[in-house]
Amino acid sequence: MKQTIARLASQTSLMTKIAIPIIVIGISIGFLISQSIATLLEEHTTQSLKVESRNLNNKLFYLIEADFKALFLSYGKDAKRYEQAKKLSQQELLASLKNLFRSSIYDIAIITPQGTHWIKQSYTHDSILQSVNQHHKKATHLFDKHIINHSYFRPWKWNIVIIRDRAPIFELIAQNNTIIFQNISILVLLLIGVLIAIIYLTINRPFQKIFAHLATIAHDKEVRLNLTSSKEVVTLVESINAMSSEILTSHNQLIAQQAKIKRIMDIQPDILLLTNGESLQSVNASFFKFFDTFHNLEQFLAKHSCICDFFEKVNEEGYIYDFNHENWIEVVYHQPKISKVKIQKDGVFYTFKVQVEKFDQNNYVVNLNDITQLQEYQKELESKRDNLITQLYTDSLTHLPNRIRLIEDIKTTSNPLVILININSFKEINDFYGVDIGDYVLIEFADMINQQLPSKRAKLYKMSGDEYIILDSFLSNRVELIRRLNRLSSYLNTQTIIKESYTIDITTTLGVAFESSDLLISADIALREAKNSKLRFAIYDKSFETLKQYQNNLLWSKKIKNALDNNHIVPYFQAIVDNQNDTIVKYESLVRLIEPDGEVITPFSFLHIAKRSHIYHNISKCMIEQSFEYFNRKNMSFSINLSIHDIENYETHQLILNKLQEYQLGERVTFEILESEGINNYDVVASFINEIKKYNALVAIDDFGTGYSNFSHIINLQIDYLKIDGSLINNILHDESVSVVVETIIAFAKKLGIKTIAEYVDSKELYEYVKKMGIDYSQGFYISQPISKILESDTFLQT
Amino acid sequence: MIMFKKIIILSLLTSYLLIANGIRTINFAPLPMVKSQKLLEQYLPMLEYLEKEVSVKFNILYVQNYNELLNKLGTYQIDLSFLGPLPYAEASSRYPHIQPLVRFLDAQGKDHYTCTLFKLQDSPLDMQTLSNKNFALTQKYSTCGFLATQKILNDHNHSLTQNLYNFSGSHTNAILEVVLGNSDLGCAKSSIVHQYQHFGLKTLAISDPFPSFLLVYHTHNIPQKIINQIKEALMKLQPLSNSQDANTTQKWGKNLKYGVVEAKDSDYNTIRRLLQTIELPK
């Protein structure tokens, strides 16, 4: 019973708390609504009256304007007639307006210069018209409770005024306002009654149950609540049930998460501490792995109030040094440079990297990372690095600083002077005594040079092979330099190295350079100059031809590479005629370089440069490919020039065989082997000839009769043609001895069954002469210049 | 509109009868400066005179605006027309077959006229404050419309493009718009403005003289012989000096009754020059 009374009391209290303010608010709302309705009615009425009065005014204005327009168009040009007509028309107009608007609910006045004419007047006094601003074209305004609409018709200076008194309407609204208020208040109170009943049934009672249920959730119990009083309550109950499930789930997850975090902390290799600086709050498993004499934190704290008890005072940069129990953590936290501590355990020192992060207002998280091993690795690494640097800058044989060191030292030396020392004929020493003795010589000789350096500043470096460099500073005295170089050279050239039973005399050549942008190249040029001029030493001078050659070589190397890249290495074709019948029997493929401006460059300008590098083989390959490809489309014989280098080069050699196989042009191709360059290994040539003969290819010896011609070897080489060197043919008409040589070659060839070809035949006279001598074929400008394309119609007819 | 229909029916009937009798019919279209009911009043007496003097019959065509008139001149629908100087300059530049015949004199015997820029007497406007104002103009191809107004404003460093303007349709309407207070300023033929001065109009500026209105003909449609006869018939009248001639032209329209002079195409070069600097609105 008591519970029932208490429950009713609590419900009554709630209802009272809600109902009283709602009743007050309801009555207030009723009052405000009734007032608002009254105001709205007044405003709406005023607005409607304004629009109506404006429309009425426009109507009047239009009628007056129409009347005026008719007068204007009819009589406007004649002022006198117009004035007469106007007077009559205006009187007529005012009369008709009065008649027209006699039943209007608006009062209408027209103020003319002659006076005011009331078109309709019911309750408006003349005094109201005084509020009209007669200069405004069109306007509406409120005066007292009157709406006044006014317009001005300019041609006649007429003011049209429409007036409506709102007072009767306002009185009617005020009378009805009290009734409106009473009705609305009753309606609001009825609504409140209904509202309270609904609140009690749908909200108050279910909420009591919800509150009781919420109390059970606080005890982590999951009990489901069932209420169906209203849709909203059902939704709320469902939400609470879901929420209570989620709270319990979250609670369990939190516990699991905490366990997980502890596990994560424990598997960390670093020691993690939670401390306020003086005492430890919490530690991870790594802590006890290190401090293995303790099994839990209580044991540790029983003996040590602070972990800093273990910190050694190391007076080195980065280590914590000046500290005590109270301040150590602040020191580390505020001075990031202090990041290491040394801890002694069992007589061994361990180094830890220490990191401190603020955890909350009083506590810090301390991370102690054992870097003892890392430091040892670092030391080892530094030691290895030093060794590598030493190796990088040191010659492994003589232990002298090497070329890399020299290049760096030159940069830091003022007025650098380099003396390049080359041991003459060192290759022979190596070949004769062996590499070991050679190495010994290089080491010993380095010691000898070191004993006679030209100045105290001078330093010796070992370059590649048999070369050394002394780096010194030039003291602006060339005479003194030459004196010192003489002394150095004399000293070096009188050295004898004794090894085992051998006595080896050393001679050297020096190349010297200073005041040059590239001292090493300049010294090298000077050295070549000294060797070419058979001097003991030479000081670099810009006038040395070697430099020009260098530059020229560089220029042509670049041009050749570009030409190869852009397909500007092309074959030109020069005809070879049969001296018996003056007909072209074949064409020789001659290499040409086409400059970007179209200029055709002969091989004399670039081939010798190309031969010094592997570019030459690319030119050969290019010529072989293009010649085969071109003559495959022509029914002509042709010849291709080859040097001994081409034959010895595996790739070129293979390419020739491949092309012979691919095109099957063996019977039409002749390979002209340049004899002038000297063939040392005739076996290689013989082997090559044997291979190409399998494809029925022919072989010619080019430039025969100069330099190294070796008749005995030629005999063994299955030669088909001998091409007599142009220098012999050129002089054949003027030099009898040359003529004899050529006759000998012809005779020699005939005996061996080898055909002969005369090149450089550049005149009719010479052509006739070589024919007379019995040379089989001719080639030269008299017959045809080299051409880029062969036409089928090309012929040579002797004239 | 009823009057317009009457004219059309009358014209068609007349044309039919003339064709039946073998007499040449000339289609005449005057400039639409006045309302249709005044057309017969103004032009019929002159046309009746010409029908007597030259053995032709006239068929009056009413066109509603300048643009329609120009288009019909171009499409051979009009043989003879009464034009203002600007429409003539425009028509002759479009159609080479349009040629001038005679120019009409005014009551003072002048063969040119001016346009007047005016306002209401009680308006505070002057030539220095002409921007963002409302102008009442006649028609696009009326000389006193855009062309003359823009020329006057340009001479005073102003432009119609800095103001609002509307084409009221005629000189009288342009004046009426100002009198009613719908526009701040207007521009119309000076002689017409003068007639309405008593409504409180005040002249702000007067344009340079323009060559007077003229008769133009279509060279392909009318034989030269007939053209010469019409010209002779009009030029022989000297109403300003001869009372008998004045009697003949008494009932003619005010623009027509004071005699003519021969019109040359070069008379209208001043208009062409103006058109090179003033672009008419599209």
Side-chain angles (χ1 to χ4, degrees):
Chain A
M1 187 63 186
K2 276 183 182 175
Q3 283 177 343
T4 309
I5 291 165
R7 198 177 68 203
L8 281 172
S10 68
Q11 285 168 2
T12 308
S13 166
L14 180 64
M15 286 164 68
T16 311
K17 281 175 190 168
I18 296 169
I20 291 172
I22 288 176
I23 289 166
V24 173
I25 291 165
I27 292 169
S28 305
I29 288 169
F31 178 73
L32 287 171
I33 289 172
S34 65
Q35 285 300 311
S36 300
I37 288 170
T39 311
L40 276 173
L41 276 171
E42 283 179 15
E43 280 179 10
H44 179 72
T45 308
T46 305
Q47 200 57 36
S48 301
L49 292 174
K50 274 184 182 177
V51 173
E52 270 184 35
S53 66
R54 193 157 53 237
N55 290 341
L56 183 60
N57 203 323
N58 286 344
K59 203 169 171 182
L60 273 162
F61 193 92
Y62 175 75
L63 289 170
I64 295 166
E65 188 180 82
D67 211 58
F68 169 77
K69 278 185 183 174
L71 276 177
F72 181 88
L73 294 171
S74 303
Y75 308 108
K77 288 179 185 172
D78 187 335
K80 198 175 170 186
R81 283 186 67 194
Y82 168 77
E83 285 302 326
Q84 287 170 349
K86 184 178 86 171
K87 210 173 279 176
L88 287 171
S89 179
Q90 284 179 346
Q91 285 169 7
E92 193 181 348
L93 179 65
L94 288 169
S96 65
L97 289 176
K98 274 184 186 175
N99 191 36
L100 195 62
F101 294 99
R102 65 180 179 277
S103 56
S104 172
I105 56 169
Y106 291 85
D107 283 358
I108 303 166
I110 295 178
I111 307 166
T112 69
Q114 288 77 35
T116 303
H117 298 266
W118 283 99
I119 302 297
K120 168 79 191 302
Q121 186 178 24
S122 49
Y123 38 76
T124 310
H125 302 291
D126 285 357
S127 60
I128 292 172
L129 298 178
Q130 288 169 6
S131 70
V132 173
N133 186 340
Q134 296 187 5
H135 297 293
H136 282 177
K137 196 175 176 185
K138 281 183 180 176
T140 305
H141 70 281
L142 299 174
F143 180 77
D144 194 11
K145 292 195 172 174
H146 295 83
I147 293 169
I148 302 169
N149 187 280
H150 155 252
S151 64
Y152 179 64
F153 184 66
R154 203 210 69 84
W156 288 346
K157 298 184 174 62
W158 279 17
N159 286 285
I160 305 150
V161 186
I162 310 290
I163 305 157
R164 181 67 199 264
D165 188 358
R166 295 180 299 165
I169 299 167
F170 288 177
E171 277 168 24
L172 194 64
I173 290 169
Q175 283 167 12
N176 290 325
N177 198 24
T178 314
I179 300 165
I180 291 168
F181 168 67
Q182 287 167 357
N183 290 339
I184 288 175
S185 295
I186 291 164
L187 190 66
V188 168
L189 285 171
L190 280 171
L191 281 172
I192 287 166
V194 173
L195 196 64
I196 288 168
I198 291 167
I199 288 168
Y200 173 72
L201 290 171
T202 60
I203 300 175
N204 197 12
R205 209 162 50 178
F207 264 73
Q208 294 294 331
K209 290 188 179 180
I210 290 166
F211 295 148
H213 174 69
L214 288 175
T216 63
I217 296 171
H219 295 94
D220 299 340
K221 290 177 187 170
E222 188 172 8
V223 180
R224 294 196 69 74
L225 177 65
N226 288 311
L227 278 175
T228 56
S229 66
S230 71
K231 191 182 170 188
E232 289 75 14
V233 171
V234 169
T235 308
L236 181 65
V237 165
E238 282 170 1
S239 301
I240 289 167
N241 284 336
M243 186 184 76
S244 63
S245 286
E246 278 184 25
I247 288 170
L248 282 172
T249 309
S250 298
H251 179 75
N252 293 334
Q253 282 174 349
L254 195 64
I255 291 166
Q257 194 72 19
Q258 281 175 345
K260 211 181 275 179
I261 290 167
K262 187 172 182 333
R263 172 86 183 123
I264 290 167
M265 282 181 66
D266 285 345
I267 61 173
Q268 292 300 312
D270 294 352
I271 295 171
L272 296 171
L273 318 169
L274 183 66
T275 177
N276 61 2
E278 290 183 51
S279 68
L280 295 173
Q281 311 294 321
S282 176
V283 296
N284 68 346
S286 296
F287 179 88
F288 297 111
K289 276 185 197 163
F290 185 76
F291 297 106
D292 48 8
T293 52
F294 306 104
H295 298 102
N296 55 50
L297 194 56
E298 287 71 30
Q299 283 181 5
F300 182 86
L301 291 174
K303 284 197 172 180
H304 304 281
S305 59
C306 178
I307 184 136
C308 59
D309 288 348
F310 292 88
F311 295 172
E312 293 292 323
K313 291 204 170 188
V314 181
N315 192 6
E316 287 177 23
E317 194 182 341
Y319 284 91
I320 180 167
Y321 177 68
D322 190 12
F323 66 92
N324 54 41
H325 280 206
E326 287 76 32
N327 74 353
W328 77 271
I329 199 144
E330 289 287 328
V331 168
V332 178
Y333 182 69
H334 291 296
Q335 296 184 36
K337 283 183 180 176
I338 295 170
S339 61
K340 286 188 280 187
V341 292
K342 206 158 257 188
I343 296 175
Q344 190 184 22
K345 195 187 92 173
D346 304 332
V348 179
F349 286 101
Y350 295 87
T351 307
F352 285 86
K353 190 175 177 187
V354 58
Q355 276 181 298
V356 174
E357 294 292 335
K358 198 103 177 168
F359 183 74
D360 55 32
Q361 196 153 6
N362 300 316
N363 295 307
Y364 298 85
V365 175
V366 180
N367 181 312
L368 290 167
N369 176 16
D370 187 352
I371 58 168
T372 315
Q373 195 69 41
L374 192 70
Q375 279 191 326
E376 282 171 15
Y377 288 149
Q378 203 169 346
K379 276 182 191 168
E380 195 179 325
L381 207 64
E382 281 170 6
S383 165
K384 282 184 179 168
R385 191 194 61 186
D386 291 344
N387 282 340
L388 277 175
I389 289 170
T390 309
Q391 282 173 27
L392 178 69
Y393 288 111
T394 309
D395 177 65
S396 58
L397 181 68
T398 60
H399 301 296
L400 285 173
N402 61 9
R403 182 189 176 86
I404 300 168
R405 179 82 268 164
L406 172 68
I407 290 166
E408 297 209 351
D409 287 353
I410 286 172
K411 289 176 196 165
T412 56
T413 305
S414 60
N415 299 325
L417 162 83
V418 298
I419 302 166
L420 175 62
I421 302 165
N422 177 263
I423 301 172
N424 295 337
S425 307
F426 180 74
K427 189 174 180 295
E428 287 167 16
I429 296 171
N430 248 353
D431 292 346
F432 191 80
Y433 298 106
V435 177
D436 290 344
I437 300 285
D439 286 350
Y440 179 77
V441 168
L442 290 173
I443 296 163
E444 283 298 301
F445 192 59
D447 285 341
M448 290 171 178
I449 303 169
N450 251 333
Q451 287 168 26
Q452 196 64 29
L453 290 176
S455 75
K456 286 181 181 175
R457 296 175 304 276
K459 189 174 170 184
L460 183 65
Y461 299 81
K462 176 71 176 66
M463 309 301 279
S464 60
D466 54 356
E467 289 182 342
Y468 304 82
I469 274 185
I470 297 169
L471 175 64
D472 199 356
S473 290
F474 177 58
L475 299 174
S476 311
N477 187 335
R478 201 179 173 90
V479 176
E480 175 59 21
L481 174 65
I482 291 168
R483 197 174 62 76
R484 289 187 183 185
L485 287 172
N486 261 315
R487 197 161 58 215
L488 176 65
S489 176
S490 300
Y491 167 76
L492 294 175
N493 288 340
T494 53
Q495 297 304 307
T496 301
I497 293 169
I498 300 165
K499 174 71 176 168
E500 296 165 5
S501 58
Y502 306 118
T503 301
I504 303 161
D505 293 326
I506 301 290
T507 62
T508 58
T509 308
L510 313 183
V512 183
F514 59 92
E515 293 177 346
S516 166
S517 58
D518 194 330
L519 285 171
L520 298 185
I521 289 179
S522 301
D524 192 50
I525 293 166
L527 181 70
R528 285 168 199 278
E529 181 65 18
K531 289 213 171 192
N532 288 342
S533 307
K534 300 193 183 339
L535 298 169
R536 285 186 300 149
F537 66 84
I539 301 172
Y540 169 76
D541 189 284
K542 280 182 185 170
S543 64
F544 288 172
E545 188 61 28
T546 322
L547 180 64
K548 288 178 191 165
Q549 283 174 5
Y550 265 54
Q551 288 169 341
N552 193 44
N553 290 352
L554 278 175
L555 175 74
W556 277 104
S557 294
K558 200 172 173 184
K559 277 188 181 180
I560 295 164
K561 277 179 189 168
N562 284 340
L564 280 166
D565 290 343
N566 296 303
N567 297 324
H568 287 166
I569 297 289
V570 295
Y572 267 50
F573 311 102
Q574 191 173 33
I576 298 172
V577 293
D578 187 336
N579 289 348
Q580 295 291 322
N581 52 26
D582 302 322
T583 53
I584 296 170
V585 290
K586 70 166 80 170
Y587 285 89
E588 183 184 5
S589 284
L590 298 165
V591 64
R592 291 290 185 272
L593 184 150
I594 311 296
E595 290 265 42
D597 62 2
E599 191 186 351
V600 181
I601 308 294
T602 60
F604 305 108
S605 303
F606 62 88
L607 207 57
H608 63 287
I609 294 164
K611 278 179 181 171
R612 293 182 196 171
S613 68
H614 62 273
I615 304 174
Y616 171 73
H617 296 299
N618 292 337
I619 294 173
S620 297
K621 284 183 222 165
C622 182
M623 284 297 293
I624 291 162
E625 280 172 348
Q626 289 190 67
S627 299
F628 268 95
E629 200 271 331
Y630 187 80
F631 283 100
N632 187 43
R633 290 183 274 117
K634 300 273 176 189
N635 190 20
M636 290 277 180
S637 293
F638 62 103
S639 61
I640 298 172
N641 287 299
L642 295 178
S643 73
I644 186 64
H645 305 296
D646 294 320
I647 295 167
E648 286 175 343
N649 183 273
Y650 176 76
E651 283 176 27
T652 312
H653 187 132
Q654 283 305 119
L655 180 73
I656 291 165
L657 298 178
N658 288 344
K659 293 295 166 189
L660 284 168
Q661 176 70 34
E662 183 187 346
Y663 289 100
Q664 292 296 318
L665 297 177
E667 287 177 352
R668 285 204 271 139
V669 62
T670 303
F671 290 99
E672 295 187 16
I673 300 166
L674 283 162
E675 204 268 344
S676 60
E677 291 183 357
I679 301 169
N680 295 323
N681 193 342
Y682 276 88
D683 290 339
V684 174
V685 179
S687 166
F688 172 74
I689 290 172
N690 279 336
E691 283 182 280
I692 60 170
K693 285 283 180 182
K694 288 176 190 168
Y695 296 94
N696 298 321
L698 302 171
V699 178
I701 295 294
D702 202 1
D703 296 342
F704 187 79
T706 55
Y708 306 97
S709 298
N710 190 323
F711 281 44
S712 64
H713 281 108
I714 298 288
I715 291 164
N716 297 323
L717 283 180
Q718 300 184 63
I719 298 300
D720 300 292
Y721 302 97
L722 280 179
K723 195 177 247 185
I724 302 163
D725 189 74
S727 61
L728 296 175
I729 301 294
N730 265 344
N731 293 313
I732 202 168
L733 289 174
H734 319 292
D735 192 331
E736 208 173 310
S737 60
V738 171
S739 185
V740 171
V741 170
V742 172
E743 279 172 4
T744 310
I745 293 170
I746 296 167
F748 160 75
K750 280 193 188 301
K751 276 184 187 172
L752 292 173
I754 300 170
K755 300 284 183 185
T756 49
I757 305 168
E759 57 182 3
Y760 290 4
V761 177
D762 57 5
S763 68
K764 186 180 180 186
E765 189 187 4
L766 187 55
Y767 181 55
E768 293 300 333
Y769 192 79
V770 298
K771 279 167 83 174
K772 195 177 157 190
M773 287 183 83
I775 296 175
D776 301 295
Y777 302 95
S778 291
Q779 177 184 3
F781 278 23
Y782 175 66
I783 291 133
S784 165
Q785 292 200 1
I787 50 176
S788 60
K789 282 179 186 168
I790 298 170
L791 302 175
E792 300 297 335
S793 56
D794 283 349
T795 54
F796 169 68
L797 291 172
Q798 193 182 1
T799 55
Chain B
M1 197 64 190
I2 294 164
M3 182 62 74
F4 176 62
K5 282 181 182 169
K6 281 179 184 172
I7 292 168
I8 297 292
I9 292 163
L10 186 67
S11 302
L12 288 171
L13 192 65
T14 313
S15 302
Y16 173 76
L17 290 170
L18 288 172
I19 290 164
N21 292 325
I23 298 170
R24 188 170 196 93
T25 303
I26 292 175
N27 290 321
F28 173 75
L31 203 60
M33 287 177 71
V34 292
K35 295 194 179 297
S36 59
Q37 64 262 34
K38 289 195 175 177
L39 277 175
L40 291 173
E41 255 179 62
Q42 289 197 355
Y43 295 101
L44 264 183
M46 180 183 79
L47 297 177
E48 280 169 358
Y49 165 77
L50 287 174
E51 281 178 351
K52 279 181 200 165
E53 294 290 317
V54 185
S55 55
V56 290
K57 286 293 172 189
F58 286 98
N59 178 28
I60 300 180
L61 297 180
Y62 180 76
V63 289
Q64 298 207 15
N65 55 48
Y66 287 73
N67 218 17
E68 189 187 345
L69 179 66
L70 291 179
N71 287 338
K72 285 190 171 171
L73 274 170
T75 53
Y76 292 53
Q77 294 175 56
I78 297 171
D79 307 320
L80 191 69
S81 181
F82 179 75
L83 293 181
L86 173 58
Y88 171 67
E90 184 69 24
S92 59
S93 73
R94 286 196 208 171
Y95 317 116
H97 53 258
I98 302 299
Q99 288 294 320
L101 188 62
V102 289
R103 273 201 288 154
F104 291 87
L105 303 174
D106 67 5
Q108 283 75 43
K110 288 190 285 184
D111 60 353
H112 55 268
Y113 72 97
T114 59
C115 306
T116 294
L117 180 69
F118 60 92
K119 58 159 194 164
L120 288 172
Q121 215 150 28
D122 52 7
S123 162
L125 293 173
D126 59 35
M127 287 308 292
Q128 277 70 50
T129 55
L130 294 183
S131 62
N132 294 320
K133 297 292 176 288
N134 204 335
F135 282 70
L137 306 180
T138 54
Q139 287 198 27
K140 186 168 87 170
Y141 287 111
S142 164
T143 313
C144 287
F146 190 91
L147 184 75
T149 314
Q150 182 72 319
K151 174 69 170 59
I152 291 168
L153 290 183
N154 286 353
D155 290 344
H156 290 83
N157 296 322
H158 292 296
S159 169
L160 272 173
T161 54
Q162 301 161 347
N163 293 278
L164 301 170
Y165 58 88
N166 61 77
F167 293 110
S168 56
S170 69
H171 295 258
T172 313
N173 280 350
I175 294 166
L176 180 59
E177 284 296 300
V178 177
V179 170
L180 284 170
N182 296 336
S183 296
D184 301 312
L185 301 109
C187 189
K189 202 171 176 184
S190 298
S191 58
I192 302 175
V193 174
H194 182 72
Q195 288 172 331
Y196 289 95
Q197 198 95 36
H198 63 96
F199 281 96
L201 302 181
K202 181 166 184 190
T203 299
L204 266 180
I206 298 172
S207 74
D208 293 333
F210 295 110
S212 59
F213 283 53
L214 73 163
L215 272 184
V216 303
Y217 67 97
H218 199 299
T219 55
H220 295 176
N221 288 7
I222 312 179
Q224 191 59 41
K225 187 184 166 190
I226 293 176
I227 289 298
N228 291 341
Q229 288 171 350
I230 294 172
K231 189 197 277 186
E232 276 172 28
L234 289 171
M235 289 192 67
K236 74 181 181 186
L237 295 173
Q238 302 288 329
L240 289 172
S241 55
N242 185 319
S243 56
Q244 199 176 342
D245 290 346
N247 200 35
T248 305
T249 63
Q250 193 184 359
K251 291 182 179 173
W252 296 17
K254 277 189 179 175
N255 293 324
L256 313 170
K257 67 193 291 184
Y258 299 112
V260 299
V261 290
E262 188 177 0
K264 293 176 197 159
D265 182 68
S266 57
D267 296 339
Y268 297 88
N269 284 344
T270 49
I271 301 289
R272 294 189 179 103
R273 278 196 290 274
L274 271 183
L275 286 172
Q276 285 173 358
T277 55
I278 296 171
E279 190 185 0
L280 296 180
K282 301 288 177 197

